[in-house]
Amino acid sequence: MTVTLRPHHLLCLLTYVGKGYSPAFVENYDRIIARLGAGEEIAMTEGPDDICAPIACDLAEHCHGASVISRDACAARDVGRVLGMTIASGTRLTLTADRRATLRAGFATGDIRSACTGCNWSELCSEVAAGGFQGVKLT
């Protein structure tokens, strides 16, 4: 199997500590983290992905909005630059320990956080990064 992700969720995964929009959202996210932790491949996609699934059916949710599409473009650019690869719909990758470390280093310094501007979770993610990523689910 493959986990489908939109680009900005590559950033969200780095600081995910088990908080989310609803219990169903968190349960789904935990399952995805377990799959990625086991080495499952990621297929990049446009629009709602496996993480969005519990809330994506609600067209009023932000996962369909222009601001999130812009966030995805920023994340694809920044993550691609740091990993030395193109991040676009159809790109496949595995988040190896080395890639997670590279992304977390860039996240901690702010180098790959342009997509986080205006995100409701940005403050929490900043705290997690400042704390050395303690308590994250994807280790």
Side-chain angles (χ1 to χ4, degrees):
M1 291 188 63
T2 303
V3 174
T4 62
L5 288 182
R6 61 190 319 157
H8 85 265
H9 282 155
L10 289 170
L11 301 176
C12 301
L13 291 169
L14 302 173
T15 59
Y16 176 67
V17 292
K19 297 181 187 274
Y21 298 101
S22 69
F25 185 88
V26 170
E27 287 173 24
N28 180 62
Y29 211 140
D30 287 345
R31 283 191 298 273
I32 290 167
I33 292 295
R35 290 168 58 191
L36 294 174
E40 195 164 323
E41 185 178 50
I42 295 168
M44 301 308 303
T45 191
E46 293 178 12
D49 60 9
D50 288 343
I51 290 175
C52 298
I55 59 173
C57 62
D58 182 353
L59 293 178
E61 284 297 333
H62 77 275
C63 52
H64 296 281
S67 65
V68 178
I69 293 167
S70 174
R71 189 170 290 146
D72 283 337
C74 289
R77 180 195 64 230
D78 292 349
V79 169
R81 178 179 36 80
V82 169
L83 293 181
M85 62 187 295
T86 300
I87 301 294
S89 185
T91 300
R92 293 184 173 269
L93 70 143
T94 304
L95 280 182
T96 62
D98 285 344
R99 283 184 173 154
R100 289 192 304 270
T102 297
L103 290 173
R104 283 193 174 118
F107 193 93
T109 63
D111 290 343
I112 61 171
R113 293 211 52 196
S114 64
C116 303
T117 302
C119 176
N120 294 341
W121 298 97
S122 187
E123 185 177 327
L124 172 65
C125 296
S126 294
E127 290 171 9
V128 171
F133 299 93
Q134 293 297 311
V136 297
K137 298 274 189 162
L138 183 61
T139 55

